[in-house]
Amino acid sequence: MNQKTWPPTKSSSDGPRRFTAFPFIRKQTHLQNRPSENPFFNHSKKITPTTPSSSSNSSCSSSSNQDFSQLPHDIIFKIAATFSLSNVRASSLVCKSWCDALRPLRESMVFLRWGKRFKHGRGGVKRNLSKALDSFLKGAARGSTLAMVDAGLLYWEMGKREEGIGLYRKAAELGDPAGQCNLGISLLQVNPLEPEEAVKWLYKASVAGHVRAQYQLALTLHKGHGLKRNLQETAKWYLRSAEGGYVRAMYNTALCYSVGEGLLQSHELAKKWMKRAADRGHSKAQLEHGLSLSSDGERMQAMVYLELAARAGEAAAHPVKNVILQQMSTFSRDHAMFLANSWRTLPSSH
């Protein structure tokens, strides 16, 4: 896996990345309702606070008593377009009106499930990308943004970029964070010299809490890509993505803390995030953390992380590892190898 996630001095690209479909993610409304945080758009309207009054209280109480079963079917359908199967099922139980409105989405979930089976060769069926795409498209035609994203992914992998971007855009416009993320990344790859629209969609997905979009937004800001570099915004989104469990963001957050780029320099926090990335399988983080442990005299633990980094292809780990091996007893070397062989990656959002 290409892990050159820290931008070099000269502008470069990590190359095309494979996309994955993501489950429904609850939007973080506390971020969405703060337009001042968006550094990429101008807001023509100012939001003025309103003072509490008896009329506002009465309107709140009346709105809480509204009969949502009277909502038009098209409104219900748009609200639920990004829902997962469990959310569609739960919403269908609200009332008969909602059940009727969401029938196409329930059907799309069936096609989505079969599409995943055909794509990965699971559930007793052989792998068949043609049938997988057909199933995803049928699910997309019934309004599921999850099926749109999966169909767009298959089109992209087949080299049909325009069709893939079209489906990503449709899902993005319906509010799907995965569609917004994939659309942003696709636009960057197709036209890296004009990143404005890509950044717009990445920002929307990032505000909704999509950790890969947060990482990609930070990476785009860090590399420039025609935009003015903003180290504070870069570090902020690296940190949010890292807190959400994205391994590459953990590594870059550690580097930000280490050199004080966009964040207040802190070697303690740098070590913390580097270890988190290392424990989740990031080979460069394993190398850096192993070197740090070696400097602190923790030879046993250093040996384990350097061995893991070396196995993952980090050539720089070998000379340091060999020096440490010469300083260890036979028992200690065997124990370090046992720990490395028993090591298991901690879960992450990748």
Side-chain angles (χ1 to χ4, degrees), residues 202-323:
L202 288 173
Y203 185 85
K204 285 179 179 288
S206 297
V207 170
H210 196 287
V211 293
R212 189 184 180 194
Q214 291 168 347
Y215 167 77
Q216 191 64 46
L217 176 62
L219 194 63
T220 303
L221 295 174
H222 204 167
K223 288 182 176 180
H225 281 311
L227 295 169
K228 183 178 179 180
R229 294 184 72 195
N230 188 326
L231 296 181
Q232 284 70 35
E233 280 294 309
T234 294
K236 179 184 80 172
W237 289 114
Y238 276 145
L239 181 57
R240 290 196 186 181
S241 181
E243 290 171 342
Y246 202 75
V247 179
R248 293 177 179 176
M250 294 178 189
Y251 176 70
N252 285 9
T253 297
L255 293 178
C256 285
Y257 274 122
S258 179
V259 299
E261 190 166 87
L263 294 169
L264 187 64
Q265 189 173 29
S266 170
H267 294 298
E268 182 180 350
L269 289 173
K271 287 183 178 180
K272 168 188 146 182
W273 284 111
M274 195 65 75
K275 183 180 186 305
R276 288 189 177 184
D279 288 342
R280 286 157 180 80
H282 195 288
S283 63
K284 289 186 180 299
Q286 290 168 342
L287 171 61
E288 294 288 343
H289 188 55
L291 293 174
S292 176
L293 289 170
S294 176
S295 300
D296 294 340
E298 300 286 342
R299 289 186 299 182
M300 179 67 72
Q301 289 299 316
M303 182 61 201
V304 173
Y305 283 100
L306 290 171
E307 174 67 19
L308 293 172
R311 292 179 183 181
E314 297 296 333
H318 289 284
V320 183
K321 185 186 74 167
N322 292 335
V323 170

Side-chain angles (χ1 to χ4, degrees), residues 13 15-17 19 41 152 156 161-170 172-173 178-204 212 216 220 225:
S13 174
R17 299 186 184 279
F19 301 146
F41 308 103
W156 186 273
R161 292 190 167 192
E162 290 186 8
E163 290 87 344
I165 289 176
L167 283 163
Y168 288 151
R169 187 179 298 278
K170 189 173 181 181
E173 290 172 348
Q180 293 166 348
C181 176
N182 286 9
L183 177 60
I185 295 174
S186 300
L187 292 174
L188 281 176
Q189 293 190 20
V190 171
N191 196 356
L193 298 180
E194 297 181 6
E196 289 78 12
E197 185 183 5
V199 168
K200 180 189 77 172
W201 289 112
L202 288 173
Y203 185 85
K204 285 179 179 288
R212 189 184 180 194
Q216 191 64 46
T220 303
H225 281 311

Side-chain angles (χ1 to χ4, degrees), residues 126-167:
K126 293 183 179 180
R127 190 168 185 262
N128 189 318
L129 295 183
S130 177
K131 290 184 178 181
L133 180 59
D134 181 64
S135 297
F136 289 144
L137 290 174
K138 287 179 179 178
R142 285 162 174 78
S144 170
T145 62
L146 303 184
M148 295 174 196
V149 171
D150 276 332
L153 169 60
L154 262 186
Y155 269 135
W156 186 273
E157 292 173 345
M158 292 175 176
K160 299 180 179 180
R161 292 190 167 192
E162 290 186 8
E163 290 87 344
I165 289 176
L167 283 163

Side-chain angles (χ1 to χ4, degrees), residues 43-65:
H43 300 273
S44 57
K45 295 183 179 180
K46 294 183 178 180
I47 301 176
T48 56
T50 57
T51 56
S53 64
S54 58
S55 60
S56 63
N57 291 335
S58 61
S59 64
C60 290
S61 61
S62 62
S63 63
S64 63
N65 294 325

